[in-house]
């Protein structure tokens, strides 16, 4: 199926590993010209090498999404390398889990800033070239944690905040041919999860509690993002797509 994104310039933040890396690879496989952004230089080099080996076109940039100057440089790189910005995937984020009485301000600020401020800065910078082209796709990676998880007040709040941000941006920018949507992954087999010493018990519990009977894979999330970034999703905006195997 042709998604209509061949030759589109795409930026994926947090693309050095996990879901971001899978999204970047999927978009590149569909013919998009992908700029991988992350603070992990080694991860970027590895993922870019894999994309190029598979015949895809990509570039990389070290970028802290909480730094406005680095975000501006990221947008400039996409414009100079690929002629614009057509797709933005706000994926950068991480967890720093603690019960609220043990959580200090840095734990809160670090998580919320990368997830929410990062999406704000990247979206604000990407909108002008998208509006000039009268075409754009922004996909924000939220999480099933937006429903609330114990020990994740910072992460849950940030991922829930992305949903309000998504809806506001969809209303502001639809007239310019820009759609803005969110994907909420459930429990996914990233390297960070599979490396946990109790991963076998996590996997076993997921098989019992998830209606489809398994954990998610990064490719499951990448497929959902690719659809929302495509021409096929041109009448979908402000939406939240749960990719959780039916587990809420």
């Amino acid at each position: 199926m042709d998604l209509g994104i061949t030759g589109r310039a795409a930026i994926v933040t947090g693309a050095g590993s996990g879901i971001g890396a899978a999204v970047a690879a999927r978009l590149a496989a569909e013919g998009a010209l992908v700029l991988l952004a992350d603070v992990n230089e080694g991860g970027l080099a590895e993922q870019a090498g894999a994309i190029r080996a598979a015949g895809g076109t990509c570039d990389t940039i070290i970028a802290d999404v909480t730094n406005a100057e680095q975000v501006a440089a990221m947008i400039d790189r996409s414009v100079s390398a690929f002629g614009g910005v057509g797709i933005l995937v706000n994926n950068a984020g991480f967890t720093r889990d603690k019960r609220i009485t043990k959580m200090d301000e840095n734990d809160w600020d670090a998580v919320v800033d990368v997830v929410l401020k990062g999406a704000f800065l990247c979206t604000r910078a990407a909108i002008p070239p998208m509006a000039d082209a009268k075409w754009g796709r922004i996909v924000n990676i939220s999480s099933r944690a937006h429903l609330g998880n114990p020990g994740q007040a910072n992460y849950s709040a940030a991922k829930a905040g992305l949903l309000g941000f998504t809806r506001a941006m969809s209303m502001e920018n639809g007239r310019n041919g820009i759609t803005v949507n969110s994907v909420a992954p459930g429990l996914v087999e990233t390297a960070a999860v599979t490396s946990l010493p109790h991963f076998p018990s996590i996997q076993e519990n997921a098989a019992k509690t998830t209606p489809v009977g398994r954990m998610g894979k990064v490719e499951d999330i990448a497929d959902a993002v690719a659809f929302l970034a495509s021409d096929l999703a041109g009448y979908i905006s402000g939406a939240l797509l749960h990719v959780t195997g039916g587990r809420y």
Side-chain angles (χ1 to χ4, degrees), residues 211-229:
V212 301
R214 65 171 176 88
M215 290 180 64
K217 299 183 181 300
V218 291
E219 292 80 9
D220 295 320
I221 313 306
D223 288 344
V225 173
F227 168 67
L228 290 174

Side-chain angles (χ1 to χ4, degrees), residues 53-80:
T57 300
C58 68
D59 195 1
T60 64
I61 188 168
I62 303 296
D64 176 354
V65 296
T66 68
N67 183 301
E69 291 182 358
Q70 293 185 34
V71 168
M74 179 183 74
I75 299 299
D76 289 344
R77 174 70 69 84
S78 181
V79 172
S80 63

Side-chain angles (χ1 to χ4, degrees), residues 10-90:
I11 297 174
V12 182
T13 68
S17 62
I19 289 172
V23 168
R26 182 72 166 84
L27 294 177
E30 290 293 336
L33 315 175
V34 187
L35 178 61
L36 289 76
D38 206 305
V39 294
N40 179 357
E41 185 173 5
L44 284 177
E46 179 181 354
Q47 302 307 328
I51 288 172
R52 290 171 182 141
T57 300
C58 68
D59 195 1
T60 64
I61 188 168
I62 303 296
D64 176 354
V65 296
T66 68
N67 183 301
E69 291 182 358
Q70 293 185 34
V71 168
M74 179 183 74
I75 299 299
D76 289 344
R77 174 70 69 84
S78 181
V79 172
S80 63
F82 300 136
V85 181
I87 299 165
L88 170 66
V89 182
N90 286 312

